[in-house]
Amino acid sequence: MNSSFTKIIRTILGLGLLFFGLSKLFHFSFLPTHIYTDDAARFIDSLSDSGYIMYVVGVFEVAIGLMLVIGKWVPFALLLLAPISVNILLFHLFLDTPGLLIAIIVILLNVILIYKYWSVYRPLFT
């Protein structure tokens, strides 16, 4: 669990989550605006119009990113990240395929880390 490979993967995933989570909270002006089309635009607009969902996801991404970067409560962070990363993948798979590569990378990094921490999760399945 403390190998260099695991630390690198954990840090990359954590920094990515921190960046994207903070961008949801503070709307970074230096980022190019992604233009969603049709169903993806309606879906994102409905989430934004709710007034809270995007902020909640942003807070979760920042909190999970911090846990991963700092290295505290990593198994808990990965457990919280699992449904978020599945939703990221499904959104890009069905509604916004140009972002699919990033979604696959997030899922892949999450799966690798869950595998590396599997001994912690094993009691859940016995």
Side-chain angles (χ1 to χ4, degrees):
M1 282 190 276
N2 290 323
S3 71
S4 296
F5 175 75
T6 303
K7 287 179 185 176
I8 291 168
I9 297 295
R10 182 173 46 84
T11 303
I12 289 170
L13 183 58
L15 290 174
L17 287 168
L18 273 173
F19 178 76
F20 287 112
L22 288 172
S23 72
K24 282 181 183 66
L25 297 174
F26 299 111
H27 309 289
F28 296 148
S29 61
F30 61 86
L31 286 177
T33 304
H34 181 74
I35 307 294
Y36 295 106
T37 58
D38 301 329
D39 292 336
R42 283 192 294 276
F43 182 74
I44 291 295
D45 287 344
S46 67
L47 292 178
S48 297
D49 290 346
S50 73
Y52 74 96
I53 290 290
M54 295 306 273
Y55 293 109
V56 169
V57 172
V59 167
F60 268 90
E61 287 178 352
V62 168
I64 293 166
L66 283 173
M67 285 187 257
L68 293 175
V69 169
I70 293 169
K72 295 287 184 183
W73 305 311
V74 173
F76 178 62
L78 296 173
L79 202 59
L80 290 175
L81 181 58
I84 294 171
S85 58
V86 168
N87 275 294
I88 291 169
L89 177 67
L90 293 174
F91 171 77
H92 288 292
L93 186 64
F94 292 108
L95 298 174
D96 185 49
T97 53
L100 190 57
L101 180 61
I102 299 267
I104 290 171
I105 290 170
V106 169
I107 284 281
L108 184 63
L109 295 178
N110 198 12
V111 167
I112 289 169
L113 288 172
I114 287 172
Y115 174 77
K116 292 289 188 177
Y117 285 89
W118 188 250
S119 63
V120 176
Y121 301 118
R122 189 180 321 273
L124 294 172
F125 299 99
T126 59

